[in-house]
Structures are given as C-alpha cells and as structure tokens.
Amino acid sequence: MKVVNLKQALLQAWKERWSDYQWAVNMRRFFPRGATWDILNLAEALLEQAMIGPSPNPLILSYLKYAISSQFDDFSRDLCVQSLLEIMDMFCDRLSCHGKAEECIGLCRALLSALIWLLHCAAFYAEKVKETLEQAAAESQLKMCLERLEKMLGSTKNRALIHIAKLEETSSWSTVEQSLVKLGESLSSLSNSTLRSQADDSISLIKSIPTMLSVHSEQLNKTGFPTVHAVVLLEGTMNLTGETQPLVEQLMMVKRMQRIPSPLFVLEIWKACFVGLIESPEGTEELKWTAFTFLKIPQVLVKLKKYPQGDKDFTEDVNCAFEFLLKLTPLLDTADQRCNCNCMSLLLQECSKQGLLSEANMTNLIDKRMADREHAPHLKSAENANIQPNPRLILRAEPTVTNILKTMDADHSKSPEGLLGVLGHMLSGKSLDLLLAAAAATGKLKSFARKFIKLNEFTKHISGEGSKGASVRALLFDISFLMLCHVAQTYGSEVILSESSPAGEVPFFETWMLTCMPEEGKILNPDHPCFCPDSTKVESLVALLNNSSEMKLVQMKWHEACLSISAAILEILNAWENGVLTFESIQKITDNIKGKVCSMAVCAVAWLVAHVRMLGLDEREKSLQMIRQLATPLYGENTLQFYNERVVIMSSILEHMCADVLQQTATQIKFPSTGMDTIPYWNLLPPKKPIKEVLTSMFTKVLEKGWVDSRSIHIFDTLLHMGGVYWFCNNLVKELLKETRKEHTLRAVELLYAIFCLDMQQLTLTLLGHILPNLLTDSSKWHTLMDPPGKALAKLSVWCALSSYSSHNKGQASSRQKKRHREDIEDYISLFPLDDTQPSKLMRLLSSNEEDSNILSSPNRSMSTSLSASQLHTVSMRDPLNRVLANLFLLISSILGAKTAGTHTQFVQWFMEECVDCLEQGSRGSILQFMPFTMVSELVKVSTMSSPKIVLAITDLSLPLGRRVAAKAIAAL
C-alpha cells in the first residue's frame, strides 16, 4: 500500500515539477521518519519511474541523486555504497535527455554531483586501505569506485556535460579540485600498482575536462610552409616601416591555423629572409631587406617568445631552427656571396644579444657554419675586403640613428653650422639610405621625419642674418626638404604625416606634399589653388629669376619661393611659348632655380609633371624640355656646400616623379647616374596583355613554384590596384575552383591566403559578402564546390574570416591598404536583414524562461533563427565585417535547415569543420559568435559534426544560453 502511495507521491512531484529540495521536504511530510524509509525501497521505485520513457527522466533521477547525497555520505556502510555503485552502472554509459534545455542542464549538474560523490567515496576507501585489518575489503571497494569513475569519464559525452556543469557551477568545480588533491595524497602510499595507475588515469581525465577544446595536434608531415614564407616576404618588400605587433599576430594566426611546429615555423621565417636578401634589387631595396632581416626579424622573434609555448622553451626552438637552416648550405652560400660576409654568424650574434639563443648554442652554430664555409673556397676569394658588407653597415647604422635623433633634438638656433656638418655627413655615399633603412626597421623613421619637418619649419625664421647665416639656413632648408621627399618616395607619405597636428598651422612640407607632390596613383590638378599663390610674390620671384645672375640668399623665404615657383614657371613657359623669352634666357632661369637650392627645382618639376598631363601631344615639347633642363645638374664654381650630394638625391626624386609622365608621353630624359638603383618593381606589367591573363598566368606560375617571390607580390599588388578588389578576388577564386588535385588545392589555399594579405580586410569582405553568397545561392554553380576545390575554398574563407576578425578589432590597416578605396558600410547594410529594433525584442524574450524553451525548440522560430551570441555580447552591426559574417552564418543556417541537400550543403559542413579546427579554446570573440543558436541542433544531425567536442567548440559557453544550447545538443547525441 505504501508503494502505491510512494508512486502517487512521485507522480505528483513530476507533474508539479518539484525541485529536489521541495521533494525531500514533502516526502518527509508524507512518510514520517522511521524504519519505513528502508521498507519503502525508495531507490528502486525512483529508478523504475525514471526509466519508463525512451530516455531516463532527469527530474526523477535528480530526486534519486538528492536522496543519495543526503543519505550516503556515510561510506562506512559498505553494502549500501556497493548497491549505489551498481545502480550507477545502469545509466552511467548511456545517459541522454531529449527534454527541454533546463532539464539537460539539470543532467549536467547531476553528473557533476555524482563525480564529486565518487571522488569522496574513492578518497575514503583509499584512506581505509592503510588500515591493515580492513585492507582487502577496502581495496575491493576502492576498485569498484575507480571502475565506475573510469566508466563515467571514459565517455567524451559525459566529460562534455561535466565541462558545461563546471561553467554553470564554479563552486562545485573547486570541490572537485579539492577532492582530487585529497585523493592524490591518499593514493601516494597505495601499494597496489594496478589500482594506483587506474586512479591516475581517472585523475588525469578529470584534469583534462577544462581544457577539452584546446588540444590540437601539430602538422608533422610537412617541412615547407609557403604562407609563412609569403607573409614574411610581403612584409619585408612592402611594409618595412610597419609596426612589429601586427606582423607577430598575423604570423601567430598562420602558425595556429596551419598547426605548424615551432622550430619549422622559425625556420620558415629565416628562409624567407634569406630568399628576400638574395632576390632584392641592388640599392635601396637591398638595404631595406638587410635591415628587415638583421634588425626587425630578431625583434619579431623576441615578441613571439612572449606567447605561451606550453612546456617548450622557445630558445630551444630557435636553436633547432638554426640547426635546420645550417643544412641549407646553397641558400646560405648564395646569401653570403650576395652580402660579401658571413650572414649566419652576424645573425646568430644579433639573436644572442636579444636573448633568443644561449651563448653555448650560438658558439656551436657559428663554428658549424665556419666549418661549412671552409668547403666553399669561392666564398673567401669572392669577398672583397675593400667593400664594407651591408649587414655590418646596417648593424652599425642602428645606434647612429639614435645619436642623430638626439642631435636633432638640440636647439637649432645655437649652432646651425654644427647641425649642418652632421647632415652633410649623412648625405655622403649610401649613408642616408643606410640610416633610413635602420630607422624604418626599428620603428624610428616616423620620429626621424618629424625632426626633419621641425628643422624645415625652423628655417622660416629669419632675424638679421649675414651671408654666411643665410647660406647655412638655405642649406638646412634644402637638405631637410630633399630628405623628406626621399623618405616619402621610398617609404610612403604616411610616414611623414603627423597623426593629428595640434591646433595651429600644418607644416609647410606636409602641405606641399599632400597637394603638390606627384605620387603613384595620385592625379594633381595644375590649376589647383595651391599652385596659384599671391601674384605679387610670383612677380617678384619671376623678376628675381630672370634678372639676377644668381639666386640671392639673404632674407629669402624659401618656403614661399617653393610655393610660388609653380605659378612663376607657368609665367615663364607662357613667355617662352610666345617668343618673349629665348632659350638662353630659359637656361639662365633654370640655372638660377637649381643652382643654389635643389628643392626649388623639385617643386618646379612637380608642377610641370601635373601640367604636362593636361597638354595635347604637340604642346608638350617646351614643358618636357624645361624638365630636362631642371634635371641636369649645374657644375659651376659658385654652388653651395654639399651640392654634389644634394644633386644625387634630387635626381632620384625627379626620376620617381617623372616616371609615369615620361612613360605616358614616350619621352626619355637622361637623369644623371646617381649610383642609386632605378625605380625597383616599377612598370612590371607586360604591355598589350589583358590584365586577367596576367593574373591567371602569374597565379599558375606561383602555384607551380610553390611559393611567392617579391616580384610576383608586386605584380599582384599592381593588379589589385588596377582591377579592384572584387575583380581580383573573384578571378583568383575561379582559379582555385579549377584545381582538381588535392595537394594542388591545398597549396593554392596557402598561397592565396598569403596573396590576400595584400589587403586582407577588403578581400575578406568581398569573399564572404559577395562571392560565397553567390556560389551558395546559385544552384547552377553548386557543381564547382565539389571536393577538393570546394573544401579548399571553405578553408580559405575561414582563414580569411579569422584573420580579418582578429586584426580589424585592433584597427591595423597598413599604409599600403590605407591608400586604397575603403568599401562603404552602405554596401553591406543591405546584406544583413536584422533591423536595429530586433535585438531588444530578443533580449525581452530571453528574460523570461517559458518563452526561452520555445526559442530553442519551437518549429515556428522566424523570430529567433537569427539570435546569436554576438547580439548578446552586443557586437556592433554597423561594422561591415560583423554584418557580412552575421549574414553568412544566417545563409549557412538556412542551407542546413533546407529540405534539399547538395554540394553547397557539403561546403557548409567543411566550412564549419574548418572553423572548429582553427579555433582557440573559448570561442567568445571569435567568428562563431555570429552563428545562430538554432544552427547547433541542425549541425549535430550532420554525421561528421555530431561529436560532443564539436558542440562545445561551436557554442559560446560564456553565455548561460550558450551553455543550455550545448547541453541540449550533447544530451541528445
């Protein structure tokens, strides 16, 4: 009769959904305490009720759990414990729950409590084993406990559910950690080795629960990594002035996504540096590469060292990388021959200075390289003792840069002559380029430029000067102007522009550079107001140039002369065209312009270049002749100090300025041999060949070679400028989808990712916002997404999405990318269907529990299909990348829920698998936060995605809703 009452009580509890605590109170009220509790067969009745349906009823199991934990903390009753352990056998390895999310979370908590109980139990018997009288019995009880622990933890599903419970109840997890310590202490004196190893296995499984997601195996079957190679080459060729941190983060991202072992990763960086050194064109580019290799990369490695390496020692990885590098003798020999020195030895010393190598390892590696060089006598004979090797010069230039910056900080008015001496010394030979390369590689170029701008501004102030003071001031103006032009042309004008100039006037040089200086891709208007200054100043300048035998220096305002020269040249040209001035007069005028101060010639040519573009074919002759006149140096007696050195820089500046115009007008002007290289990487595209053909043939060539070289990087960059982001991305994706061999597609992805680094943000927006949606929604294109090219495209998309997302939050666009047109947010607003009011409705829905369950299970979920973790983290949807990602995941979600399947469904599956593969632990802040929660249950239906670890990886477990979604999906597996 009692049992019937007990059943009734249980049914009432289930109908009214009593909590375990409520149930216990009511049970005590129904059945007064006494012997009846044992007679009731409570455990059996509870189990019988719990097992009625297709899956155990978690609510009734929670009553059993409550009864167990309240009844049996007394482990001395061996038989009771034994029967409880046997009850556990019934459900431990086949737990599932198809109920509501709340019930699934309840199951997680129940498992965690059962784990805690088992650990207490095991610790109790491990202590008892020490008592000799009861040793045998205690050992058998301990064995039973450990077997149940092993059985429970052996299932990944159970561990995943405990992982969720750990995040739900952090206090209970600390109980687990304390119990583990206690159990470990008790086991230390256990003589039975079988039991001890069994216990150790269980303990390590429990300890692994918090890090279930972060274990990734490394790729050990490869030795070459073209992506790392290309990223380093791209940075060295195009972005020497960039900060090291973004490069470090990009390299770490590649290392993680491609799972590259540390030593091979460092080796690939060094290989790229040596290849860059060997390939670089002579002159400035070679110096840039030398500075990049010997100054910047050691700094990059110092930052890489700070990243957590697990239990590995980074210095050991660097040593190992150098050991591998020593085996590449032909590469090292070629580099040594090119640089006229033992590159490896200098590099090792630099790394040792930065704490990347121990003294012993450094000496050992240097000795090995010395021994190798003995076998190559041609290296010794080829080394020219009279020529100082670039790497040595660069390493010496670095401290000099710091000294010069200090000198430049002094008060210029006190000893302008002393300063002039320092600047003159900088101009000789290749000193300037060495110093600039060293400054660029160590991040000091910006402050270098600021100091020269300050000096240039200083020359505006004139106070009662004599002829000597006037010539020093003219020289300081000229040298600072020429140096700034040279820096802008070699390293990009961004280096010179101040971030935000304090309230006050913009420095003269910045104004001139922005409005008057010709650069690649910048079209100037010769009638722009900046070229038309005050007419009285222009008239007096024309008179001065035309009438005097040479330029006056005293009281001369050079910045005004430089701004007026354009209008003066226009006057002079008109006079020449109309026969008012003869060619001899023009010669005299041009001699005056370039005779003392080269910067006036630079300003004059800058305007002439803009002017020539506007003229018809038959009108250009005189303007071009004038450029020719200004570009020819004047070797008279009466020139100012350091004239030859200044002319060298002027010629190089003019050559850069005129390059485009001379090509367009098919004119040749012989610039005096400057000793510097002609413009490297300029005009690389073959004439009369459509750019699409150039792109495809270039990509095929790179794919055959297996790596990208500096020249092809520049060609891709030119094509990207010329064709635009969509054209570039679309055509390269088409090339990828043509590949049919697996190893080719994989290599293509590694190379394409590196090529996309030219402008990762914009190319990712185009790939994810336009190209993928087109491929996934157009059934006529689905066949192109078959394996292997489709799988490769999924990989590329995920890599690009992760890279862009991780870097765009930090706002790291490089100077190259800033020049290009930025996509407008409006282009992407139409792509994302959520209006701005919806998140608040969703938040209201979430705040009430009843509707919450509907969100997760109702078939009519039009309102909730788009709810994702990103909205709960209130990520801004004004950002184009966030919008594109949210839209892409909505599309993926609809494809998974659709009734028809095809290669596009398979593509989505590959995309999600790659997301999981590349993830770091804890996906908060990753691209998966844009995935709608409802997608989890759809994904679990896909065979390859139906694993507990994958569910944990794709849901945001930092959110209560994320944990409920994960628990529901895992409990149903």
Side-chain angles (χ1 to χ4, degrees):
M1 180 203 72
K2 290 262 182 192
V3 174
V4 175
N5 285 349
L6 177 62
K7 268 191 180 171
Q8 283 168 348
L10 283 174
L11 285 171
Q12 190 182 344
W14 180 70
K15 276 181 194 159
E16 295 175 14
R17 297 288 191 274
W18 294 349
S19 70
D20 45 13
Y21 178 71
Q22 222 178 337
W23 172 78
V25 172
N26 288 339
M27 288 299 283
R28 287 201 173 91
R29 213 173 63 239
F30 291 159
F31 308 103
R33 266 195 115 147
T36 46
W37 277 95
D38 289 335
I39 302 164
L40 283 174
N41 288 336
L42 183 60
E44 280 173 33
L46 280 168
L47 265 178
E48 189 186 324
Q49 286 301 318
M51 302 298 176
I52 283 173
S55 63
N57 183 323
L59 188 66
I60 292 179
L61 280 180
S62 77
Y63 301 158
L64 177 61
K65 181 191 77 176
Y66 190 88
I68 290 168
S69 51
S70 57
Q71 292 284 101
F72 293 109
D73 275 346
D74 177 7
F75 298 116
S76 57
R77 296 160 70 183
D78 291 359
L79 290 173
C80 299
V81 172
Q82 208 167 318
S83 56
L84 278 173
L85 289 170
E86 282 162 6
I87 289 170
M88 284 187 89
D89 280 351
M90 294 171 63
F91 57 81
C92 229
D93 53 349
R94 42 178 184 275
L95 279 177
S96 61
C97 169
H98 295 275
K100 293 184 175 170
E102 276 307 320
E103 293 173 356
C104 299
I105 284 285
L107 178 61
C108 297
R109 291 192 175 116
L111 259 177
L112 184 57
S113 302
L115 174 65
I116 292 171
W117 185 80
L118 273 173
L119 286 172
H120 285 163
C121 189
F124 175 83
Y125 289 118
E127 278 296 318
K128 214 169 172 191
V129 168
K130 295 174 186 172
E131 299 166 19
T132 41
L133 290 172
E134 300 189 26
Q135 190 174 4
E139 271 194 8
S140 99
Q141 289 287 83
L142 179 60
K143 184 169 182 265
M144 283 178 75
C145 268
L146 293 174
E147 277 170 1
R148 299 321 179 277
L149 257 179
E150 209 169 21
K151 198 170 181 184
M152 177 178 175
L153 296 165
S155 141
T156 315
K157 178 176 172 178
N158 288 356
R159 291 204 305 280
L161 293 170
I162 294 171
H163 182 87
I164 294 170
K166 162 195 170 285
L167 297 170
E168 278 285 313
E169 298 184 353
T170 41
S171 56
S172 301
W173 188 254
S174 52
T175 314
V176 170
E177 287 172 331
Q178 288 158 16
S179 309
L180 283 177
V181 172
K182 197 173 165 194
L183 180 59
E185 286 166 359
S186 310
L187 290 169
S188 57
S189 55
L190 195 65
S191 56
N192 186 328
S193 58
T194 321
L195 281 181
R196 197 158 70 232
S197 76
Q198 207 174 357
D200 288 343
D201 290 348
S202 297
I203 288 173
S204 63
L205 270 176
I206 296 170
K207 284 182 176 169
S208 74
I209 288 174
T211 58
M212 276 184 83
L213 300 178
S214 59
V215 184
H216 277 321
S217 58
E218 289 182 332
Q219 208 174 328
L220 296 171
N221 55 341
K222 281 180 71 174
T223 51
F225 300 94
T227 312
V228 177
H229 191 99
V231 166
V232 173
L233 269 180
L234 181 100
E235 198 72 14
T237 311
M238 294 190 146
N239 200 21
L240 180 62
T241 52
E243 288 173 33
T244 48
Q245 194 54 34
L247 171 62
V248 168
E249 281 166 20
Q250 193 177 22
L251 286 169
M252 277 310 283
M253 177 65 91
V254 174
K255 179 179 189 282
R256 200 174 60 246
M257 291 190 305
Q258 298 187 11
R259 308 221 191 122
I260 306 174
S262 232
L264 294 180
F265 172 64
V266 178
L267 170 68
E268 198 63 55
I269 293 175
W270 286 130
K271 268 163 54 179
C273 286
F274 277 101
V275 169
L277 262 181
I278 293 164
E279 277 185 348
S280 58
E282 261 183 67
T284 324
E285 286 301 309
E286 188 185 345
L287 294 178
K288 280 185 182 180
W289 257 108
T290 313
F292 181 73
T293 305
F294 290 86
L295 296 176
K296 192 168 185 175
I297 289 294
Q299 289 304 322
V300 167
L301 291 183
V302 167
K303 289 199 170 176
L304 284 171
K305 186 182 176 183
K306 290 177 185 157
Y307 280 75
Q309 307 289 332
D311 49 0
K312 293 181 190 139
D313 176 12
F314 188 69
T315 50
E316 203 32 64
D317 289 336
V318 173
N319 180 45
C320 189
F322 275 124
E323 289 280 6
F324 289 145
L325 188 59
L326 278 176
K327 297 191 170 71
L328 305 174
T329 317
L331 178 73
L332 298 180
D333 286 354
T334 316
D336 285 1
Q337 212 165 346
R338 172 82 203 259
C339 297
N340 192 32
C341 66
N342 181 347
C343 293
M344 185 80 161
S345 163
L346 289 173
L347 206 49
L348 291 166
Q349 287 165 28
E350 199 54 30
C351 287
S352 174
K353 260 189 239 165
Q354 301 292 350
L356 294 164
L357 269 179
S358 67
E359 194 73 34
N361 283 343
M362 178 193 80
T363 318
N364 171 35
L365 290 162
I366 288 178
D367 292 347
K368 282 185 180 173
R369 177 64 189 143
M370 285 299 212
D372 279 351
R373 278 169 62 91
E374 292 305 318
H375 300 303
H378 66 279
L379 284 182
K380 282 270 177 282
S381 59
E383 271 183 29
N384 186 337
N386 302 327
I387 300 173
Q388 278 279 20
N390 283 338
R392 281 208 169 114
L393 291 172
I394 280 284
L395 290 168
R396 256 190 264 149
E398 193 227 353
T400 316
V401 169
T402 319
N403 294 337
I404 289 175
L405 288 175
K406 278 184 197 153
T407 312
M408 299 280 293
D409 273 335
D411 183 357
H412 303 324
S413 56
K414 285 193 181 144
S415 81
E417 291 88 351
L419 181 61
L420 188 57
V422 173
L423 297 184
H425 186 66
M426 278 176 68
L427 295 180
S428 60
K430 55 180 179 184
S431 301
L432 179 61
D433 282 319
L434 272 167
L435 291 166
L436 293 179
T442 49
K444 298 191 182 105
L445 191 60
K446 219 168 176 45
S447 57
F448 215 76
R450 303 279 355 121
K451 301 270 191 294
F452 279 109
I453 282 186
K454 216 167 121 192
L455 173 62
N456 192 267
E457 287 295 289
F458 162 75
T459 58
K460 284 182 181 176
H461 309 297
I462 310 167
S463 51
E465 58 182 6
S467 60
K468 189 175 180 214
S471 62
V472 168
R473 191 171 60 82
L475 281 168
L476 289 178
F477 173 84
D478 199 34
I479 291 172
S480 56
F481 186 94
L482 293 171
M483 278 190 181
L484 288 165
C485 280
H486 184 57
V487 169
Q489 286 181 341
T490 317
Y491 293 98
S493 47
E494 298 74 24
V495 181
I496 283 164
L497 298 176
S498 42
E499 259 73 56
S500 53
S501 147
E505 59 178 310
V506 181
F508 154 71
F509 185 81
E510 278 190 41
T511 316
W512 180 84
M513 184 182 73
L514 286 173
T515 47
C516 312
M517 181 171 158
E519 283 181 281
E520 191 188 357
K522 179 163 130 189
I523 302 299
L524 297 172
N525 170 12
D527 302 327
H528 187 279
C530 73
F531 289 124
C532 312
D534 181 356
S535 56
T536 52
K537 288 180 183 165
V538 175
E539 280 168 25
S540 60
L541 181 64
V542 172
L544 180 69
L545 292 171
N546 195 22
N547 301 332
S548 56
S549 57
E550 63 175 45
M551 214 45 200
K552 73 163 190 145
L553 301 176
V554 180
Q555 300 294 320
M556 184 73 184
K557 293 182 176 171
W558 293 111
H559 56 287
E560 282 183 10
C562 282
L563 285 175
S564 308
I565 191 78
S566 45
I569 290 282
L570 179 59
E571 295 282 323
I572 292 161
L573 257 182
N574 287 339
W576 187 17
E577 298 272 355
N578 296 317
V580 177
L581 287 174
T582 60
F583 181 62
E584 285 69 34
S585 316
I586 297 295
Q587 265 184 315
K588 185 180 133 195
I589 290 172
T590 51
D591 285 354
N592 271 340
I593 293 175
K594 68 191 176 190
K596 300 280 186 192
V597 176
C598 297
S599 30
M600 274 177 70
V602 172
C603 295
V605 172
W607 179 80
L608 281 165
V609 164
H611 180 65
V612 168
R613 283 176 189 271
M614 304 298 173
L615 300 176
L617 208 57
D618 52 344
E619 301 169 318
R620 293 174 175 165
E621 181 47 42
K622 287 197 162 56
S623 301
L624 289 169
Q625 215 169 338
M626 202 161 205
I627 293 179
R628 207 173 270 121
Q629 286 292 320
L630 288 165
T632 317
L634 179 73
Y635 292 112
E637 293 298 305
N638 205 1
T639 52
L640 287 176
Q641 218 179 343
F642 308 122
Y643 187 68
N644 292 354
E645 289 85 344
R646 286 180 292 133
V647 162
V648 169
I649 301 177
M650 176 184 85
S651 299
S652 150
I653 294 167
L654 296 185
E655 191 172 357
H656 275 82
M657 275 185 181
C658 302
D660 281 349
V661 154
L662 296 183
Q663 188 194 10
Q664 286 155 11
T665 57
T667 312
Q668 279 192 325
I669 291 182
K670 179 84 181 79
F671 289 94
S673 170
T674 57
M676 297 191 180
D677 53 345
T678 49
I679 309 165
Y681 303 125
W682 181 74
N683 197 15
L684 289 171
L685 297 187
K688 297 179 184 168
K689 193 174 177 186
I691 56 172
K692 188 177 175 193
E693 276 179 38
V694 179
L695 182 69
T696 50
S697 66
M698 200 67 230
F699 182 65
T700 313
K701 213 178 283 177
V702 161
L703 195 57
E704 275 170 19
K705 251 203 303 197
W707 54 282
V708 188
D709 56 46
S710 333
R711 190 170 180 278
S712 39
I713 286 175
H714 278 273
I715 292 178
F716 282 125
D717 191 48
T718 312
L719 291 168
L720 175 56
H721 269 287
M722 207 176 269
V725 177
Y726 180 81
W727 173 87
F728 187 79
C729 188
N730 192 32
N731 281 309
L732 284 176
V733 166
K734 281 181 188 166
E735 288 306 300
L736 171 64
L737 292 176
K738 283 181 199 166
E739 289 302 327
T740 49
R741 288 176 57 184
K742 191 177 173 183
E743 62 274 22
H744 273 192
T745 55
L746 197 71
R747 189 192 297 168
V749 168
E750 291 179 338
L751 292 168
L752 275 177
Y753 171 82
I755 293 165
F756 279 13
C757 287
L758 283 168
D759 196 346
M760 185 54 85
Q761 290 289 328
Q762 293 299 305
L763 287 161
T764 303
L765 284 176
T766 306
L767 178 65
L768 305 183
H770 295 292
I771 291 166
L772 278 193
N774 284 347
L775 287 169
L776 291 173
T777 50
D778 181 351
S779 54
S780 66
K781 292 178 183 159
W782 287 350
H783 68 279
T784 59
L785 296 174
M786 291 194 328
D787 190 19
K791 194 171 187 174
L793 180 59
K795 197 185 266 292
L796 177 67
S797 308
V798 173
W799 286 4
C800 290
L802 284 171
S803 295
S804 291
Y805 192 74
S806 74
S807 68
H808 102 296
N809 290 332
K810 305 184 179 79
Q812 295 162 349
S814 81
S815 54
R816 284 188 333 278
Q817 297 160 5
K818 285 178 191 149
K819 283 184 196 167
R820 220 169 265 132
H821 157 69
R822 310 320 296 142
E823 295 290 344
D824 190 12
I825 173 71
E826 299 305 321
D827 299 353
Y828 295 97
I829 284 182
S830 58
L831 287 175
F832 192 60
L834 276 187
D835 61 32
D836 291 339
T837 56
Q838 237 169 324
S840 56
K841 287 186 202 165
L842 293 167
M843 297 304 274
R844 271 207 307 285
L845 264 179
L846 286 173
S847 60
S848 86
N849 275 340
E850 296 76 37
E851 286 152 274
D852 185 339
S853 56
N854 300 344
I855 278 188
L856 297 178
S857 54
S858 70
N860 174 26
R861 41 179 197 206
S862 58
M863 177 63 177
S864 60
T865 40
S866 56
L867 176 63
S868 67
S870 62
Q871 284 157 19
L872 303 187
H873 289 312
T874 58
V875 169
S876 156
M877 283 301 157
R878 296 288 305 155
D879 182 280
L881 184 61
N882 294 349
R883 234 179 166 75
V884 162
L885 284 166
N887 179 58
L888 182 65
F889 276 108
L890 279 178
L891 177 60
I892 285 176
S893 184
S894 70
I895 288 171
L896 282 171
K899 292 186 173 58
T900 52
T903 41
H904 63 306
T905 324
Q906 181 75 61
F907 176 88
V908 162
Q909 187 183 323
W910 290 324
F911 183 90
M912 293 307 298
E913 282 172 17
E914 191 59 37
C915 280
V916 174
D917 269 355
C918 294
L919 267 188
E920 287 180 284
Q921 186 181 5
S923 52
R924 162 148 200 192
S926 122
I927 58 171
L928 283 177
Q929 65 177 328
F930 295 99
M931 181 183 85
F933 283 122
T934 47
M935 216 172 105
V936 178
S937 52
E938 301 287 355
L939 269 177
V940 175
K941 294 173 191 167
V942 178
S943 58
T944 52
M945 301 295 281
S946 59
S947 91
K949 273 191 177 181
I950 285 180
V951 175
L952 288 181
I954 59 179
T955 41
D956 188 338
L957 299 174
S958 66
L959 294 168
L961 183 59
R963 294 196 288 272
R964 263 134 72 197
V965 169
K968 187 170 166 22
I970 293 171
L973 287 174

